[in-house]
Amino acid sequence: QVQPVESGGGTVQAGGSLRLSCVASGTFSLYGMGWFRQAPGKEREFVAGIAWRGPVADYADAAKGRFTISRDYATNTAYLQMDSLKPEDTAVYFCAVRTSGYFRGNYDREKAYSYWGQGTQVTVSS
């Protein structure tokens, strides 16, 4: 059983920064991790994804240039550094874990992920 656990959400003013963390615990082969978000009344959307081996990292257009995804091999932790936050970044942010490469480099596809965290709230005030 794999259980991703997110932390680091909170409330910040526009222009501020937050760093989200996701620890993936359990016995498994880690292929990659990703971050998605869901704003009130909207569909869940891809934010960023990273391969656990190799240089692959992918970002949604809304995240490019402002968000950075990174990983710590020793602790099976993925991070999402979010800078220059905007009110439209307000959402519940979910961490997800890939345990296979079936979808290869398509980190933006929810079906590529087998396990999901409970989410952490990020609120950006104007």
Side-chain angles (χ1 to χ4, degrees), residues 1-7 21-30 32-35 75-78 93-99 114-120:
Q1 184 71 18
V2 180
Q3 181 57 58
V5 178
E6 307 98 336
S7 62
S21 301
C22 176
V23 180
S25 61
T27 303
F28 56 96
S29 176
L30 188 52
M33 294 178 76
W35 289 96
T75 60
N76 279 356
T77 301
Y93 283 70
F94 297 90
C95 172
V97 171
R98 292 184 66 173
T99 55
S114 304
Y115 301 95
W116 293 80
Q118 295 297 308
T120 185

Side-chain angles (χ1 to χ4, degrees), residues 76-90:
N76 279 356
T77 301
Y79 301 97
L80 186 68
Q81 176 67 41
M82 304 187 294
D83 299 317
S84 302
L85 283 161
K86 306 174 182 180
E88 51 263 43
D89 295 317
T90 295

Side-chain angles (χ1 to χ4, degrees), residues 31-37 43-51 56-64 69 94 96 98 100 102-113 116:
Y31 184 84
M33 294 178 76
W35 289 96
F36 290 73
R37 68 185 183 185
E43 297 287 321
R44 187 160 59 186
E45 63 178 6
F46 170 72
V47 177
I50 190 166
V56 176
D58 190 22
Y59 295 91
D61 288 343
K64 288 177 182 176
I69 189 169
F94 297 90
R98 292 184 66 173
S100 80
Y102 184 74
F103 287 90
R104 297 194 176 183
N106 295 317
Y107 283 84
D108 59 336
R109 298 184 65 176
E110 290 195 21
K111 289 184 177 180
Y113 299 87
W116 293 80

